[in-house]
Amino acid sequence: ENIEDPVNEAYKLLKKAIKLAPNSQYAHMIYGWVNVYLGRKDEAIEALEFATQLGPPSSSDKGDLGFGFTCIGEYDRGLGFLNEALKLNPYCPWWYYVGFFCNYYHRKDYTKALDYAYKINVSEDVYLSPLLITAALGELGELQEAQPHVATLNEKFTDIKTNLEAILGSFLLDKSLISNIIKAVKKAGVSFP
């Protein structure tokens, strides 16, 4: 709260960190993420690619890279890293499953996308689980099954719905993916202001 523009401040600090430690894989990965938040796809790809060249990534780094590449719309690259990460360590953070969801949703494999959406085990105050489950069920035409998740979104996440495109756009750079998710949740019955 005491930093006026945290993303741009992080950008400046990461540029400094990379100058001090140019071979830090972690610094380049985080630099890629800052570029995602700034909407700079080419710079994000360049940073994440460079991070992969600095040595073999650990299983958690592979998952983070997979999620990162997915968020910038490099689906094949993202899915490869996510699969490698899960092969090395099947116990992963919930956002890896968001990455898998996005990959399969993009490929229009809504059944697999739904499987991964159900694996997103996150606290009830995070909107992504009911949102992604609803989107996959909407695409599959399973509107009745979607209703408990629709109710959660309509009742608990009204503030997010007013700006959902921008919120999803803060970490997903594929505008068509965002548009398709929003269309699917509307189809399932989520009301938008």
Side-chain angles (χ1 to χ4, degrees), residues 77-88:
R77 191 92 162 112
L79 189 58
F81 276 115
L82 287 167
N83 281 323
E84 288 177 32
L86 239 55
K87 196 179 294 181
L88 292 170

Side-chain angles (χ1 to χ4, degrees), residues 51-133:
T52 66
Q53 296 168 20
L54 291 173
S58 68
S59 64
S60 62
D61 287 345
K62 284 182 184 212
D64 293 347
L65 286 164
F67 183 58
F69 278 114
T70 297
C71 288
I72 56 181
E74 296 292 313
Y75 296 106
D76 292 337
R77 191 92 162 112
L79 189 58
F81 276 115
L82 287 167
N83 281 323
E84 288 177 32
L86 239 55
K87 196 179 294 181
L88 292 170
N89 182 4
Y91 306 101
C92 66
W94 61 268
W95 61 84
Y96 289 14
Y97 294 124
V98 174
F100 279 107
F101 170 90
C102 290
N103 269 283
Y104 288 112
Y105 194 91
H106 165 76
R107 289 171 167 78
K108 299 185 184 332
D109 186 343
Y110 303 120
T111 301
K112 270 193 178 176
L114 180 61
D115 290 342
Y116 283 105
Y118 277 127
K119 290 181 181 192
I120 300 168
N121 187 12
V122 66
S123 69
E124 292 180 8
D125 61 337
V126 177
Y127 70 96
L128 280 170
S129 181
L131 179 79
L132 301 182
I133 290 169

